[in-house]
Amino acid sequence: MIRHSSVRVADGWSDYEVIACGGGEKLERWGGLILLRPDPQAIWEPPYELKSYRGINARYVRSSSGGGAWEYEKKPEDEFFICRGDLKFSCKLMGFKHTGLFPEQAVNWDAARALIAGAKRKVRVLNLFAYTGGASVACAKEGAHVTHVDAAKGMVERAMKNAALSGVDRANTRFIIDDCAAFVARELRRGNSYDAIIMDPPSYGRGPKGEIWRTEDDLFSFVKNAARLLSEKPLFVLINSYTTGLQPTVMANILSLTMPGGAEVSAYELALPTRDERVLLPCGCSALASWHN
């Protein structure tokens, strides 16, 4: 059964908020830092000139030739930290406007933790394209055994640090630097299985050996293959995407067509609340298949 798309809002943050957005930018508070970053979804008029907001530490400015760079008013420390409940994350200003964390993903962390807690058994989670480990840390904190896979060594190292910052039991986590498709293929040959699978594939990417990933070409076959890793008592499969034009219903269809029987499938937009405008800022979409067993 598919539940059609809705909007799920990532609230519950104390260290993070979207202050305001518009004109292709969003003004955010990360702990004690104020950042102004591009956001292609914020196409409406801002409530005021965002760059004039007092106390901005850094603004990411796009270049007319592509890419961009951070411009500093009050340059922050190289590393800063934000918390949400019992989770703590290391952040820093990176290329392509990133900080190493996507706060809207708190929606999915909460959903995964609730399913793990409700299972009342030891759950094995595979997190693919796992980046800096927000979902990995959340699941491990709930007591799951997590295998974290990403092709970027630096991101895996950040994930390991986030796990340590959050007090995750090291015995509950396994961190692997590898191309995700290659890892799935090897796990199938080994006969390994998982009760839950999380994936956050990029729109486009390259593996450590030059492997090419394009969501439009590769997502369906990848999900279909990864589903073969599910245990006899699967708990959930969660897909997230920031690919423009990939609608929640498309992702729900992929799960509905690839998952074992008995799955309840839902798909939804992710959004962040804004403080000054009181509107929702859309932040990609997710789809979740879950089983009651």
Side-chain angles (χ1 to χ4, degrees):
M1 179 180 69
I2 298 177
R3 292 183 178 177
H4 290 285
S5 61
S6 59
V7 179
R8 299 189 185 182
V9 181
D11 50 17
W13 284 97
S14 57
D15 283 356
Y16 172 84
E17 65 180 340
V18 179
I19 299 169
C21 55
E25 292 185 300
K26 59 184 173 185
L27 181 67
E28 306 162 289
R29 178 179 64 83
W30 293 77
L33 299 180
I34 305 296
L35 304 180
L36 183 58
R37 298 191 290 163
D39 194 302
Q41 297 288 347
I43 63 174
W44 49 86
E45 183 178 314
Y48 44 81
E49 188 177 34
L50 299 182
K51 66 181 181 180
S52 67
Y53 189 86
R54 292 185 60 184
I56 292 177
N57 294 89
R59 180 187 185 191
Y60 190 88
V61 179
R62 291 199 181 279
S63 168
S64 58
S65 59
W70 289 99
E71 295 182 354
Y72 300 103
E73 294 293 332
K74 302 174 185 177
K75 189 171 182 178
E77 298 292 331
D78 288 340
E79 183 179 38
F80 53 97
F81 304 91
I82 68 168
C83 298
R84 187 177 187 269
D86 57 357
L87 308 180
K88 183 175 182 179
F89 302 102
S90 166
C91 301
K92 64 179 180 179
L93 304 187
M94 303 160 61
F96 301 102
K97 73 176 182 176
H98 295 310
T99 64
L101 193 70
F102 294 92
E104 64 274 8
Q105 286 300 317
V107 166
N108 289 329
W109 305 340
D110 291 348
R113 292 186 71 162
L115 288 165
I116 292 166
K120 301 187 185 304
R121 57 185 167 100
K122 193 67 175 181
V123 175
R124 287 170 48 86
V125 177
L126 174 60
N127 189 10
L128 300 164
F129 308 98
Y131 195 51
T132 59
S136 296
V137 173
C139 291
K141 194 69 176 176
E142 202 59 48
H145 184 279
V146 180
T147 297
H148 173 110
V149 185
D150 197 279
K153 180 181 178 182
M155 297 301 100
V156 174
E157 290 173 345
R158 291 274 296 279
M160 294 173 69
K161 182 169 189 175
N162 287 333
L165 287 169
S166 295
V168 166
D169 184 349
R170 187 67 179 84
N172 275 356
T173 52
R174 183 167 62 131
F175 294 95
I176 296 173
I177 303 166
D178 201 353
D179 172 73
C180 289
F183 179 81
V184 167
R186 278 198 302 276
E187 288 291 87
L188 286 168
R189 290 195 297 269
R190 293 169 181 145
N192 290 333
S193 65
Y194 298 86
D195 304 303
I197 300 174
I198 300 169
M199 62 181 77
D200 193 350
S203 298
Y204 175 86
R206 287 183 179 270
K209 297 181 181 179
E211 304 92 338
I212 301 295
W213 168 275
R214 292 184 178 88
T215 288
E216 295 85 347
D217 299 333
D218 300 323
L219 182 60
F220 181 82
S221 59
F222 182 81
V223 174
K224 185 177 180 180
N225 208 34
R228 296 167 59 201
L229 286 174
L230 287 169
S231 68
E232 293 181 357
K233 294 181 64 177
L235 184 61
F236 69 87
V237 174
L238 174 62
I239 307 175
N240 185 73
S241 177
Y242 293 102
T243 301
T244 302
L246 191 61
Q247 300 298 319
T249 301
V250 173
M251 297 171 65
N253 289 345
I254 289 173
L255 287 181
S256 181
L257 292 168
T258 58
M259 292 299 112
E264 181 178 290
V265 177
S266 59
Y268 44 91
E269 288 185 73
L270 300 178
L272 288 164
T274 60
R275 189 191 74 186
D276 290 354
E277 295 153 295
R278 299 187 181 279
V279 299
L280 296 178
L281 176 64
C283 304
C285 59
S286 298
L288 174 68
S290 59
W291 291 262
H292 300 286
N293 54 47

